Amino acid sequence: MTGALADWPADFHAATRQCVLLSGGVRAAHAGRAAPGCSAHSPLPRTTHSADSPEPPRSMEPPSPGNGHLIPGKHSSNGDVAAVREESQAMLSPGPPRLETRLYRRRFLVLGVFSLYSLVNAFQWIQYSILSSVFTGFYGVSFPHIDWLSMVYMLAYVPLIFPATWLLDTRGLRVTALLGSGLNCLGAWVKCASARPDLFPVTLLAQLVCSVAQVFILGLPSRVASVWFGPKEVSTACATAVLGNQLGTAIGFLLPPVLVPRTDHDKELTGHNIGIMFYGTAAVSTLLFILTIVVFKEKPKIPPSQSQAVLQDSPPEKYSYKLSIMNLFRNVPFLLLLISYGIMTGAFYSVSTLLNQMITHHYEGEEVNAGRIGLTLVIAGMVGSVICGVWLDYTKTYKQTTLTVYILSFVGMLVFTFTLDLGNLVIVFVTGGILGFFMTGYLPLGFEFAVEITYPESEGTSSGLLNASAQIFGILFTLAQGKLMSDYDPRAGNIFLCAWMFVGIILTAFIKSDLRRHNVNAGISKSEVKSVPVESPVEPAPSIQSATQL
């Protein structure tokens, strides 16, 4: 009995090799075909090779690494013994071996801090537009001057997006996060020095600093989600990160009209109220910058998903930022999404910027209710974002969900347009909420859909290009809609947006849904994977040797 057990490894591996050869190789063995006497489903004991194990026949070649499977380990000096081990493991494994993954509790802190400083940045974007009638009187400027305090966010983003995404890809998540949070804090403090009627250029400079900070913020939600969260929670995490920015917009609609009520004949009181708002924002921004320094790390020691593990397992020197950009612009589905996302998000930016003027055109003196309507729009959108994120995590129906939400946003815009002048603010609250639920809820869908159809290209690059498109359309739509509103009425400007949103629906319908990241996480992708060029400052994860061909 002891002698038979001693001979078992050699007999077993000889039989294994015969099974592979007679059944057409590793692929046939996976399909359930085996040579006579060799069951593909039979339980096989684990064996340990030693230097004394008999060599298999040298005429039998090991399987080619190009067979589409992940091949663990490396060939030892005794190449044929290692080849037999690889063949037997390939037969025993139902698919590619899974690389080690792990989830860390720190991911919630990273997500929370990012969402909060993104919130403050969005608050600083909208705080002027929702008080446009107050700031025009205080600084003695026209409405277009105040509109530019919002549009400077969009204008600064376009030329800076490529340096920002390059920095994210080459210097990493932590450096980018520190820049975004730090510049946001700096801009908030500069605003504190501008609470005087003769200092409009200072407040414009401060807003420009905040707009530069935004460049290092808007492209991070999908990157934070992918680097820190597992495949079953990545879409929800991305939606939560986007939700922070939306919540900032909501608070920006609600809080400034309360802190800075309209006092036309008392500029000193107005300046005092503006100063309170600015100093409060600066204090919160400073606290969040400190938390960013403490909490943010580049990435976890062990990646949270197979898609991230495969990227980190690839040599970083193979990455080329220029080639990544070229790949994205050669990706037709991504180009269609780039335009359709820009249209939808640009329309949202335009509506948010001009909402105060729309409401006060039909409901004079209702600045506070204009802010509350904006709050309703964004809060409903936050609920829509979370629902869409959870839905994507469980269904992976990216195109269907994106197209459906796009169509419903278009319908919501039509309803909002033709009920705005009915003289009933309750109806405006309801229609604004419906519009926000779908229009704002679309934002994380676009990010996640882009990551899926462009994997393994950097999430920061694809998200950055989507945001650049949104900023360009946002500037054009705000200028065009503002002109139509001043020459005609708000309905003309809203119909203009509806026409463009219909074009976006058509473009979205033509996007081919190729869920590359999902396929890698599911272990069914066979596409070549490139690497992300960021070296982690944390300790390296335990190495798992593999020759990877997907």
Side-chain angles (χ1 to χ4, degrees), residues 373-391:
I373 291 169
L375 174 68
T376 303
L377 188 148
V378 178
I379 291 293
M382 291 164 54
V383 176
S385 295
V386 173
I387 291 175
C388 290
V390 174
W391 176 260

Side-chain angles (χ1 to χ4, degrees), residues 2 34 37 39 53 65-66 72 178 215 241 250 262 268 296 305 313 321 330 334 365 423 429 501 507 511 541:
T2 304
S39 171
S53 299
L178 289 175
V215 180
R262 187 166 182 172
E268 185 176 348
F296 253 84
S305 65
D313 196 54
Y321 178 72
R330 285 196 293 258
F334 176 72
F429 271 96
M501 290 172 67
L507 294 176
I511 297 175

